[in-house]
């Protein structure tokens, strides 16, 4: 064990692992052309194994992990603690700080977004990628089920007094219009939105955020008024409403996974400012009011000017403008406790490299 | 389609000027301000941008850009016959049924082909742009360019003399001694409309039943409507100060009339342009000069700050002086002098006229002048745009070129060796030569998108990483030379190889800090330090490559010769990270998306790979060399 640890301390680990890392980096970058950023990242960088067809290759986690471990052991066990090497030692320490910070961030940071219409207020953050099915009983959230856990053809345990069977799910759905308010599909009665349209699986969009997921489900045992085929679709957030035999009202809602912020944000106004005399945007600005308990205060969020509060950073990311002129702002919300590491790492690396160059240059004059 | 019909009407109404106006120059016109793409710029810049877009050149068949613009504005009938549209795609030439022998075509040459292809455009616009063939892209671009040109030509249709008849019963009411143009006709328009309404009531709306006087009236009102409808879209030439409009400080002449801003102030401005148009069309040189000067002075006095005036003059100076072309020439001269100075067997006459020492000094002199010229160009851009020097791909080439030249100068100063000067001049001149190919839309002084609108990060991250690129290029060039010297001298040039190592260390410093600063910008701006975006990965790739080469050298896994080859290969890595990523067209950094340089990039990389492999192999067996 100790021996293999010692082997890791050789500088040549770096020499062998770097080409692999570079190949991984190139492959993962080129793959974005076809896969989109999210999938390419999952396949090459944020993974232990990268599959090249049937052949497993070390993924980003393993490569960076071994690299970090080797750097750490080398740093502890084999640094030549000499003042001539002070710059080198410092630069390596900085790299370590950077890598450890990166690991910490990869494990703990969470990203999401919030959509706030002008005049509206919300404490909810939506996940960019994960989707959930929410079940409300008499307007109280009763259960949440991850969309990924649902399988077509299986019964879903929604904790409701009627049976729900998943007929189909699609990561990206297209809508197909049904003929003039059809009532039946096979032997199933079409209900609510399903009467107007059907969901059919569509090819995945290159960027995962552009996918519109949806599912169709069959409900039985809720009485003849409610039994039948329903659809739930991200593109049309219309809840499925069922009054069960026990007299309670149930709502099934499908959408992005939600998280609650420890505060809420109200949008006062959103502004797009253009370069004069052109349609080219110069800046986007959201004027908001932050509500935290009884305390509230105004803040401004603009491009390159985020709002930071309680470990969350809120960034201007997009906006929505309806035909009637009403606007909504879209804010990216990032929760990252490892934010300080890169700053620290950079400072140490820069100081180290500068020191090393200084020592080298000075050493030449005094042989 | 509608636009073209309107245009045809306006061209018929606008008689050609009495004489061709080739000789009229734009001494003051070029300094008149126009608000375009978010920036107040001199009219000369405006003219250059569009002329470059249409024809790929700075002059229109002998006319300078500004003179061409004057002709387009004041004598559109003549301008329509000037060959300014460059069409190179043979497929497009065939579709448009134009003479394949020409390189440039006039509006009048294209009219038929454009009308024929208009339905095709409607269909193309419904399709996914990714599916367009090159010929279809060119066709769309041509249609857009022609539409833009029409819009420019229509800018002053409201004050140009019109070739139309005015019914005798209302003609006396026209202002005495004035031209017949849209503006003067406006004063009789309400009455003319009342008259036409009466006629329609009596005789119906079919002009066939009218008498000739009534037909003239109907025709007049129809033409006025057509002019107005055409002018309504003409917003491109925002040349009229609109001091009472807080949102839009500068508007086009038609915008001003359409918004009913008929204040005496605006009357003054319209009068200025009317005088100019008249002088131009009469080909009255003295009046034309006086009208331009008067217009410029009036606008400057009434609507511009002295800072604006100075900035616009600076921009015209920047456009005319051609800093980078001059710098390229000076770099080339300096290379030639240094080469001659290094030769041992110059002809006798040359030795007499210029001994080695003066040649050498001339080389240094030209190099310093080139750097001055290069740096001054970049400095002027910074002043004109009021931002740090690098925000676009084009600017990155200018700046990296300067870094290469400065590195060369610095090393020359430290080592008294001429090699760094040669390498610096080569790199700088090469980058400056390549730069214009990366311009989009013919505009070199463009504004940046909202994400890049931060002087702090443009000044830190972008400059650091660009400096890193420059150092990489220099290290790679030196590595090429060091390998070559191993072949020629049959032994390593230790001093030079040491320099390669040191520059690569400096390159690592700048690339690493620059990349991390980019991460910090990303963290500050959109909340993540690292997002695996292609440009980020490209920058990281350079850092990893440098780390690999240096660690390989230290751990003796790479022989000194292999280390040199690895550093020489840095050229390919940098080229891919710098431009290749933009070709992918994905990610946050695809703002500089460029087509058509893929081939050049591929060729460069292939050539470098062959050259480096060749050097590497030959350097291994110096004795096998055929001498």
């Amino acid at each position: 064990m100790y021996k293999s640890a010692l082997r890791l301390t050789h500088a040549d680990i770096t020499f062998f692992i770097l080409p692999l890392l570079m190949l991984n980096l190139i492959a993962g970058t080129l793959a974005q052309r076809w896969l989109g950023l999210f999938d390419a990242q999952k396949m090459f960088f944020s993974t232990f194994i990268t599959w090249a067809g049937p052949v497993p290759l070390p993924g980003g986690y393993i490569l960076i992990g071994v690299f970090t471990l080797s750097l750490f052991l080398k740093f502890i066990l084999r640094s030549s603690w000499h003042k001539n090497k002070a710059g080198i030692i410092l630069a390596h320490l900085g790299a370590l700080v950077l890598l450890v910070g990166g690991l910490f961030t990869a494990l703990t940071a969470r990203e999401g977004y919030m959509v706030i219409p002008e005049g509206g207020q919300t404490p909810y953050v939506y996940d960019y990628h994960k989707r959930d099915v929410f079940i409300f009983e008499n307007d109280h959230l009763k259960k949440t089920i991850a969309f990924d856990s649902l399988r077509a053809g299986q019964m879903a345990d929604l904790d409701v007094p009627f049976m729900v069977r998943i007929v189909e799910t699609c990561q990206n759905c297209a809508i197909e219009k049904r003929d003039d308010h059809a009532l039946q599909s096979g032997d199933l009665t079409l209900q609510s939105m399903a009467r107007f349209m059907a969901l059919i699986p569509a090819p995945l969009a290159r960027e995962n955020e552009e996918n519109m997921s949806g599912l169709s489900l069959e409900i039985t045992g809720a009485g003849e008024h409610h039994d039948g085929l329903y659809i739930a679709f991200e593109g049309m957030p219309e809840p499925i409403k069922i009054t069960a035999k026990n007299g309670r009202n149930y709502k099934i809602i499908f959408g992005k996974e939600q998280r609650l912020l420890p505060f809420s944000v109200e949008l006062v106004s959103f502004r797009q400012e253009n370069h004069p005399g052109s349609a080219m945007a110069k800046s986007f600005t959201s004027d908001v009011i932050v509500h935290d308990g009884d305390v509230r205060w105004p803040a401004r969020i603009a491009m390159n000017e985020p709002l930071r509060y309680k470990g969350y950073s809120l960034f201007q990311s997009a906006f929505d403008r309806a035909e009637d002129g009403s606007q909504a702002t879209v804010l990216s919300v990032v929760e990252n406790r490892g934010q300080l590491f890169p700053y620290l790492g950079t400072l140490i690396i820069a100081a180290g490299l500068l020191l090393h160059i200084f020592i080298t240059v000075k050493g030449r004059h005094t042989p | 389609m509608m636009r073209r019909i309107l245009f045809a009407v306006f061209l018929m109404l606008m008689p050609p000027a009495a004489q061709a106006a080739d000789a009229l120059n734009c001494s003051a016109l070029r300094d008149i301000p126009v608000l375009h793409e978010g920036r107040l710029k001199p009219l000369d810049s405006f003219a250059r941008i569009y002329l470059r877009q249409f024809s790929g050149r700075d002059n229109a068949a002998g006319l300078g850009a500004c003179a061409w613009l004057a002709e387009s504005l004041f004598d559109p009938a003549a301008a329509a016959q000037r060959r300014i549209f460059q069409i190179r795609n043979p497929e497009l030439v065939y579709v448009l049924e134009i003479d394949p022998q020409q390189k440039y075509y006039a509006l009048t040459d294209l009219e038929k082909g454009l009308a024929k292809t208009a339905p095709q455009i409607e269909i193309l616009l419904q399709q996914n742009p990714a599916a367009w063939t090159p010929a279809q892209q060119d066709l769309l671009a041509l249609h857009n360019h022609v539409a833009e040109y029409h819009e420019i030509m229509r800018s002053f249709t409201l004050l140009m003399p019109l070739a139309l008849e005015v019914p005798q019963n209302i003609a006396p009411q026209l202002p005495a001694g004035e031209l017949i143009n849209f503006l003067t006709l406006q004063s009789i328009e309400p009455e003319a409309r009342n008259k036409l309404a009466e006629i329609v009531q009596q005789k119906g709306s079919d002009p066939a039943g009218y008498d000739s006087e009534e037909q003239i009236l109907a025709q007049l009102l129809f033409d006025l409507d057509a002019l107005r409808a055409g002018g309504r879209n003409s917003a491109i030439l925002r040349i009229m100060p609109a001091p009472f409009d807080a949102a839009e400080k500068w508007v086009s002449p038609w915008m001003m009339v359409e918004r009913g801003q008929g204040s005496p102030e605006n009357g003054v401005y319209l009068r200025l342009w009317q005088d100019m148009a008249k002088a131009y069309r009469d080909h009255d040189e003295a009046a034309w000069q006086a009208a331009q000067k008067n217009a410029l002075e009036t606008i400057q006095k009434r609507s511009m700050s002295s800072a604006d005036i100075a900035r616009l003059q600076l921009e015209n100076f920047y456009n005319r002086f051609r800093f980078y072309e001059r710098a390229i020439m000076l770099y080339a001269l300096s290379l030639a002098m240094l080469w001659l100075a290094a030769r041992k067997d110059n002809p006798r006459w040359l030795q007499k006229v210029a001994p080695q020492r003066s040649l050498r000094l001339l080389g240094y002199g030209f190099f310093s002048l080139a750097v001055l010229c290069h740096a001054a160009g970049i400095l002027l851009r910074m002043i004109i745009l009021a931002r740090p020097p690098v925000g676009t791909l084009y600017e990155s080439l200018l700046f990296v070129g300067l870094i290469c030249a400065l590195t060369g100068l610095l090393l020359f100063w430290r080592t008294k060796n001429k090699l760094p000067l040669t390498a610096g001049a080569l790199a700088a001149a090469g980058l400056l030569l390549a730069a214009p190919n990366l311009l989009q839309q013919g505009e070199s002084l463009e504004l940046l998108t909202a994400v890049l609108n931060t002087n702090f990060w443009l000044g830190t991250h972008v400059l650091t990483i660009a400096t890193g690129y420059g150092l990489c290029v220099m290290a790679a060039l030196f590595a090429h030379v060091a390998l070559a010297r191993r072949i020629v001298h049959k032994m390593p040039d230790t001093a030079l190889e040491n320099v390669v190592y040191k520059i690569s260390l400096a390159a690592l410093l700048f690339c690493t800090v620059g990349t991390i600063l980019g991460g910090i910008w990303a963290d500050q701006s959109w909340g993540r330090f690292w997002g695996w975006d292609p440009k980020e990965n490209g920058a990281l790739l350079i850092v990893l490559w440098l780390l690999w080469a240096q660690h390989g050298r230290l751990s003796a896994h790479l022989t000194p010769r292999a280390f040199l080859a690895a550093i020489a290969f840095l050229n390919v890595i940098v080229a891919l990270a710098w431009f290749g990523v933009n070709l992918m067209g994905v990610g946050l950094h695809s703002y500089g998306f460029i087509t058509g340089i893929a081939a050049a990039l591929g060729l460069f990389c292939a050539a470098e790979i062959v050259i480096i492999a060749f050097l590497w192999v030959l350097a291994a067996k110096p004795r096998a060399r055929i001498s």
Side-chain angles (χ1 to χ4, degrees):
Chain A
M1 182 68 200
Y2 182 69
K3 248 188 174 170
S4 54
L6 259 188
R7 182 71 192 87
L8 273 177
T9 64
H10 283 277
D12 60 0
I13 293 296
T14 307
F15 182 77
F16 293 117
I17 207 104
L18 275 176
L20 292 176
L21 205 52
M22 284 191 269
L23 283 177
N24 178 274
L25 190 65
I26 293 169
T29 308
L30 291 180
Q32 291 180 24
R33 184 93 178 85
W34 296 276
L35 296 180
L37 178 61
F38 182 70
D39 286 333
Q41 186 176 338
K42 269 201 304 196
M43 192 169 157
F44 290 92
F45 308 133
S46 307
T47 178
F48 288 96
I49 304 287
T50 296
W51 293 94
V55 186
L57 296 173
Y61 281 157
I62 288 193
L63 291 172
I64 297 177
V66 173
F67 184 71
T68 310
L69 191 66
S70 146
L71 181 61
F72 178 72
L73 291 173
K74 151 97 168 77
F75 184 76
I76 298 293
L77 301 174
R78 286 201 178 230
S79 291
S80 46
W81 305 97
H82 188 273
K83 73 170 191 251
N84 273 348
K85 297 276 177 196
I88 294 289
I89 292 174
L90 217 50
H92 283 87
L93 177 68
L96 263 177
V97 171
L98 208 58
L99 285 165
V100 170
L103 182 73
F104 184 77
T105 297
L107 293 177
T108 61
R110 285 202 294 185
E111 288 184 30
Y113 67 95
M114 57 203 308
V115 183
I116 323 172
E118 272 178 331
Q121 182 182 344
T122 179
Y124 285 108
V125 174
Y126 298 101
D127 198 277
Y128 277 112
H129 306 292
K130 289 184 204 147
R131 280 119 179 147
D132 283 342
V133 177
F134 306 93
I135 296 96
F136 287 83
E137 187 182 69
N138 287 345
D139 286 334
H140 290 289
L141 183 61
K142 190 169 188 208
K143 186 159 185 181
T144 307
I145 294 179
F147 174 59
D148 289 339
S149 69
L150 299 175
R151 294 280 170 274
Q154 291 181 356
M155 305 303 290
D157 176 19
L158 300 189
D159 201 4
V160 285
F162 45 84
M163 309 281 274
V164 180
R165 192 175 72 89
I166 307 297
V167 177
E168 182 156 42
T169 64
C170 38
Q171 280 293 325
N172 192 25
C173 312
I175 349 178
E176 197 177 60
K177 215 175 152 233
R178 281 197 206 272
D179 303 336
D180 296 328
H181 302 199
L183 295 174
Q184 293 285 134
S185 162
D187 53 352
L188 287 176
T189 313
L190 295 174
Q191 298 281 11
S192 68
M193 274 202 304
R195 258 182 274 162
F196 309 105
M197 59 198 213
L199 296 181
I200 43 173
L204 289 183
R206 204 174 73 176
E207 297 301 335
N208 188 43
E209 288 92 326
E210 290 161 15
N211 286 329
M212 284 285 181
S213 302
L215 67 164
S216 30
L217 35 90
E218 179 196 345
I219 288 178
T220 43
E224 60 177 302
H225 287 304
H226 293 297
D227 283 359
L229 184 75
Y230 290 81
I231 59 175
F233 181 45
E234 214 179 319
M236 291 184 189
E238 174 85 20
I240 296 172
K241 291 178 189 158
I242 306 241
T243 309
K245 287 177 180 162
N246 62 10
R248 290 184 185 163
N249 290 315
Y250 291 90
K251 262 196 291 189
I252 301 174
I253 297 178
F254 175 66
K256 295 269 169 64
E257 185 188 283
Q258 297 182 0
R259 294 190 291 270
L260 207 55
L261 287 177
F263 54 91
S264 72
V265 184
E266 176 187 347
L267 179 67
V268 180
S269 70
F270 172 81
R271 283 193 319 278
Q272 172 181 355
E273 197 187 320
N274 285 348
H275 286 296
S278 74
M280 187 180 171
K282 186 180 178 191
S283 67
F284 302 96
T285 313
S286 295
D287 281 317
V288 300
I289 296 175
V290 183
H291 297 254
D292 189 359
D294 297 335
V295 198
R296 37 181 285 178
W297 67 95
R300 173 166 293 179
I301 301 172
M303 299 298 279
N304 293 314
E305 289 170 45
L307 166 72
R308 290 163 200 278
Y309 183 56
K310 287 196 165 170
Y312 294 87
S313 303
L314 278 60
F315 304 86
Q316 184 68 54
S317 113
F319 67 96
D320 231 349
R321 191 170 288 148
E323 271 173 27
D324 63 359
S326 66
Q327 305 185 103
T329 189
V330 181
L331 303 174
S332 272
V333 182
V334 180
E335 186 187 0
N336 179 11
R337 314 257 163 198
Q339 225 162 14
L340 208 61
F341 286 100
Y343 296 81
L344 207 62
T346 315
L347 279 179
I348 300 174
I349 290 180
L353 289 178
L354 279 175
L355 187 63
H356 182 63
I357 288 176
F358 179 72
I359 290 170
T360 320
V361 171
K362 218 179 146 219
R364 206 186 52 188
H365 289 297
T366 51
Chain B
M1 206 55 218
M2 193 59 192
R3 273 193 188 175
R4 198 150 14 256
I5 295 166
L6 292 172
F7 176 69
V9 170
F10 122 69
L11 260 194
M12 274 186 283
L13 290 172
M14 224 61 59
Q19 261 180 300
D22 280 2
L24 292 179
N25 73 46
C26 299
S27 53
L29 187 67
R30 64 175 178 231
D31 285 322
I32 289 180
V34 54
L35 180 65
H36 179 246
E37 300 290 336
R39 203 164 62 78
L40 201 61
K41 51 183 85 164
L43 213 48
D44 187 51
S45 282
F46 178 90
R48 280 169 197 269
I49 290 166
Y50 283 101
L51 194 54
R52 236 179 263 146
Q53 271 187 50
F54 300 161
S55 70
R57 314 183 284 181
D58 266 2
N59 61 70
L63 275 194
C66 193
W68 162 77
L69 182 65
E71 183 184 70
S72 308
L73 293 176
F74 302 132
D75 193 359
Q81 305 199 17
R82 197 170 285 281
R83 295 194 165 133
I84 54 158
F85 291 97
Q86 186 186 39
I87 299 170
R88 284 196 287 201
N89 189 320
E91 204 178 318
L92 197 54
V93 169
Y94 176 78
V95 169
L96 295 171
E97 296 174 32
I98 44 182
D99 179 7
Q101 303 299 319
Q102 305 286 338
K103 260 178 85 185
Y104 298 93
Y105 301 88
L107 262 187
T108 45
D109 300 332
L110 299 172
E111 231 157 41
K112 216 175 98 198
L114 289 173
K116 198 183 86 179
T117 50
Q120 206 182 329
I121 295 294
E122 309 281 327
I123 299 167
L124 281 179
L125 289 176
Q126 316 274 326
Q127 293 173 356
N128 178 6
W132 294 338
T133 66
Q136 288 172 333
Q137 286 174 10
D138 287 355
L139 180 66
L140 273 168
L142 181 67
H143 272 265
N144 279 336
H145 287 160
V146 168
E148 275 173 340
Y149 193 37
H150 284 170
E151 202 178 330
I152 292 173
M153 291 167 112
R154 273 198 304 261
S155 297
F156 284 119
T157 44
L158 77 176
L159 45 76
M160 303 281 272
L162 297 175
L164 45 70
E165 272 187 279
V166 181
Q168 308 228 316
N169 54 354
I170 47 175
Q173 293 166 33
L174 281 172
E178 295 277 355
L179 291 170
I180 297 186
N181 64 20
F182 181 85
L183 286 178
T184 47
L185 286 172
Q186 258 191 326
S187 63
I188 57 158
E189 197 183 347
E191 198 190 326
R193 287 218 182 274
N194 286 338
K195 283 208 158 76
L196 184 66
E198 281 171 25
I199 296 167
V200 170
Q201 217 164 32
Q202 287 170 12
K203 300 191 175 177
S205 58
D206 183 8
Y210 299 177
D211 66 30
S212 68
E213 181 86 359
E214 288 163 349
Q215 281 180 350
I216 292 173
L217 180 73
Q219 182 66 41
L220 171 71
L221 287 169
F222 175 81
D223 289 343
L224 282 182
D225 283 341
L227 272 177
R228 184 179 286 118
R232 189 169 291 145
N233 299 322
S234 177
I236 207 166
L237 193 77
R238 290 168 179 261
I239 206 157
M240 298 282 173
F244 308 113
D245 192 333
E248 312 228 36
K249 292 260 190 289
W250 297 79
V251 295
S252 74
W254 274 102
M255 285 165 84
M256 198 159 91
V257 171
E258 279 294 303
R259 291 176 190 188
Q261 296 192 331
S263 70
E265 181 90 356
N266 293 339
V268 171
Y269 290 124
L270 283 171
R271 176 57 104 194
L272 294 173
W273 290 99
Q274 198 165 315
D275 291 348
M276 247 192 280
K278 182 169 185 315
Y280 188 93
R281 298 178 63 83
D282 294 347
H283 204 249
D284 181 341
E285 175 80 40
W288 164 245
Q289 298 298 347
Q292 287 178 62
K293 195 154 168 273
N294 186 22
L296 175 64
E297 281 167 2
T298 310
I299 295 171
Q300 284 182 339
K301 201 163 73 201
R302 290 180 177 230
S303 316
M304 291 174 76
S305 67
S306 52
D308 277 343
I309 296 173
R311 199 168 45 77
L312 261 59
Q313 281 168 349
L314 208 59
E315 181 167 341
N316 269 339
F317 174 61
Y318 174 83
N319 281 336
R320 263 180 300 153
F321 193 78
R322 302 179 168 277
F323 284 90
Y324 312 117
E325 285 168 33
R326 277 172 207 243
I328 291 171
M329 262 156 44
L330 287 166
Y331 283 126
L333 275 174
S334 138
L335 278 173
M337 294 301 141
L338 291 174
W339 178 67
L340 283 176
R343 270 166 57 109
K344 301 233 160 50
D345 49 353
N346 280 335
R348 293 284 292 268
W349 63 268
L350 186 62
Q351 290 183 16
K352 252 188 203 154
V353 180
Q356 307 301 95
R357 196 181 125 74
S358 2
L359 283 173
R360 213 164 45 233
L361 286 178
L362 269 179
Y364 303 158
F366 281 133
F367 191 93
S368 314
L369 278 180
V371 170
L372 275 181
C373 203
H374 193 162
I378 292 178
L379 196 70
L380 279 195
R381 292 185 67 87
M382 292 174 63
I383 298 172
I384 294 166
L385 294 171
R387 62 165 166 80
V390 187
T392 63
L393 214 49
Y394 168 73
E395 291 173 331
S396 73
L397 265 89
L398 302 182
F399 185 78
V400 172
L402 184 64
I403 292 294
C404 290
L406 288 176
T407 312
L409 208 56
L410 185 78
L411 284 171
F412 166 70
W413 175 59
R414 293 296 303 256
T415 62
K416 302 289 174 253
N417 190 324
K418 288 192 298 295
L419 177 66
L421 285 190
T422 315
L426 268 179
L431 288 168
L432 284 181
L433 268 176
N437 298 318
L438 299 173
L439 278 181
Q440 311 206 344
Q441 306 264 314
E443 160 72 307
S444 80
L445 291 159
E446 54 183 332
L447 293 178
L448 302 176
T449 54
V451 189
L452 296 179
N453 207 353
T454 148
N455 282 348
F456 177 74
W457 293 112
L458 282 182
T460 50
H461 156 67
V462 178
L463 292 194
T464 317
I465 201 93
T467 305
Y469 285 170
L471 291 169
C472 286
V473 169
M474 290 300 276
L477 282 180
F478 284 139
H480 281 78
V481 177
L483 279 173
R485 289 210 169 150
R486 278 178 173 245
I487 301 170
V488 177
H489 302 315
K490 298 181 187 169
M491 57 185 266
D493 178 343
T494 328
L496 179 62
E497 291 184 9
N498 211 12
V499 168
V500 173
Y501 175 63
K502 290 218 172 107
I503 303 179
S504 80
L505 270 189
L508 178 64
L509 168 75
F510 278 94
C511 286
T512 309
V513 173
T515 305
I516 299 175
L517 278 174
I520 292 180
W521 178 4
D523 182 56
Q524 291 278 329
S525 294
W526 46 92
R528 89 281 182 293
F529 178 77
W530 197 258
W532 301 107
D533 176 89
K535 197 92 183 182
E536 295 172 356
N537 294 351
L540 180 63
L541 188 65
I542 298 178
V543 173
L544 292 183
W545 184 265
L546 279 165
L547 282 176
W548 177 72
Q550 285 161 0
H551 283 81
R553 178 180 177 272
L554 285 177
S555 63
H557 279 95
L558 290 179
T559 60
R561 177 174 60 106
F563 173 73
L564 287 177
I567 295 295
F569 194 71
L570 205 50
N571 257 348
V572 174
I573 305 269
V574 169
L576 288 178
W578 195 354
F579 308 111
V581 186
N582 293 71
L583 290 177
M584 286 181 55
V586 291
L588 289 161
H589 293 79
S590 56
Y591 48 80
F593 184 64
I594 28 179
T595 45
I597 69 152
L601 185 66
L603 201 68
F604 171 77
C605 293
E608 270 291 46
I609 290 170
V610 171
I611 291 171
I612 294 166
F614 201 64
L615 288 174
W616 191 69
V617 171
L618 283 186
K621 304 177 194 154
R623 274 162 217 292
R625 186 175 58 96
I626 303 153
S627 55

